[in-house]
Amino acid sequence: KVYDEEKLKHSRFITPGQLPNLKIQLYTKLLDSLKFNHVDVDARKQVGDLIENAVVLYDRCLYHDCVRQLEKARSIALRNDLVTSLVEINELHQRALRLTINENTRESVDMIRQEVDTITTRLKNINGLATISLKLNSLYAQIGSTRNKDELKKVNDFFERQIGEYSRKLTGVVELLFYYQSLSTFNLFFLHYY
């Protein structure tokens, strides 16, 4: 069927005052159908929805169901390297485990503890590399491309001092992305030198 607003205005079933509300309902239904029928769902959105469902289950004291939702979210987050989502998942998982006791609780707690340690290290790496990239951008804005050996030495010493500790312990895609972003910013300094 085709939407014809003029025909609806003259319909005996709909009063003119109802039309704006019907349009809003139609628009909402359209957005909902597009959202649920979207084939290529973004992993971050999917994990967010699962976490939201887990929070609802947790609030309703359905802790085992909450843990199941969190395990689904964790597997998607690990597959897609969503480090910040894993922090939220682990925090809620720990709260849910405090209220449930079964034979797997100890193993789950140990697994979460190891994962939290790994995530903490990765977040430190990501934040450190992002800071280096921002510092390099700031330095580039101050001096531009290096024009002589003194500037070249200053930039090279700065970069080696900052990046040296990170180059050996990068494990994830996001960390590598920030590492290579720092390298590409570092290379901007040499555009006109050679």
Side-chain angles (χ1 to χ4, degrees):
K1 290 191 170 190
V2 177
Y3 177 77
D4 187 2
E5 193 167 329
E6 287 302 317
K7 209 180 221 184
L8 286 174
K9 284 181 182 177
H10 301 297
S11 172
R12 62 183 177 159
F13 300 110
I14 300 171
T15 63
Q18 290 176 315
L19 195 57
N21 289 336
L22 288 173
K23 286 169 67 173
I24 290 171
Q25 284 181 337
L26 179 62
Y27 185 70
T28 304
K29 294 287 184 195
L30 180 68
L31 287 177
D32 286 344
S33 68
L34 288 174
K35 181 170 69 172
F36 291 118
N37 290 329
H38 188 61
V39 176
D40 185 28
V41 177
D42 180 31
R44 188 175 303 278
K45 170 96 173 77
Q46 194 175 11
V47 168
D49 289 344
L50 287 168
I51 291 171
E52 196 174 297
N53 293 343
V55 168
V56 169
L57 292 167
Y58 179 86
D59 290 342
R60 301 286 186 265
C61 299
L62 299 169
Y63 305 118
H64 293 289
D65 295 329
C66 171
V67 169
R68 270 190 254 131
Q69 290 290 309
L70 291 171
E71 287 169 357
K72 288 179 191 175
R74 174 180 284 109
S75 70
I76 295 169
L78 287 171
R79 233 184 359 247
N80 292 285
D81 202 31
L82 302 174
V83 183
T84 53
S85 297
L86 286 169
V87 172
E88 191 175 359
I89 291 166
N90 284 329
E91 187 269 330
L92 184 58
H93 198 169
Q94 286 173 348
R95 286 185 3 217
L97 284 176
R98 281 188 209 114
L99 300 169
T100 59
I101 296 184
N102 61 30
E103 64 276 357
N104 298 329
T105 301
R106 185 171 184 194
E107 288 125 20
S108 297
V109 169
D110 290 340
M111 187 244 345
I112 289 172
R113 186 190 50 78
Q114 288 175 342
E115 194 171 278
V116 166
D117 291 343
T118 304
I119 291 169
T120 303
T121 303
R122 290 191 61 204
L123 284 173
K124 284 180 185 177
N125 288 342
I126 290 167
N127 288 332
L129 290 165
T131 302
I132 291 170
S133 182
L134 289 171
K135 285 180 181 179
L136 285 169
N137 280 331
S138 175
L139 187 61
Y140 184 75
Q142 288 174 354
I143 66 172
S145 294
T146 53
R147 294 175 289 281
N148 56 45
K149 287 186 179 183
D150 291 336
E151 288 179 351
L152 179 65
K153 183 172 177 12
K154 178 183 172 184
V155 170
N156 200 27
D157 288 345
F158 171 80
F159 185 73
E160 291 298 323
R161 199 173 50 246
Q162 297 287 323
I163 204 81
E165 66 183 78
Y166 294 104
S167 59
R168 293 178 300 280
K169 56 183 179 182
L170 303 177
T171 57
V173 175
V174 178
E175 293 161 292
L176 288 171
L177 176 73
F178 279 108
Y179 178 74
Y180 288 121
Q181 183 179 10
S182 298
L183 283 175
S184 65
T185 306
F186 176 65
N187 286 322
L188 287 175
F189 289 101
F190 305 107
L191 282 176
H192 302 293
Y193 184 73
Y194 294 107

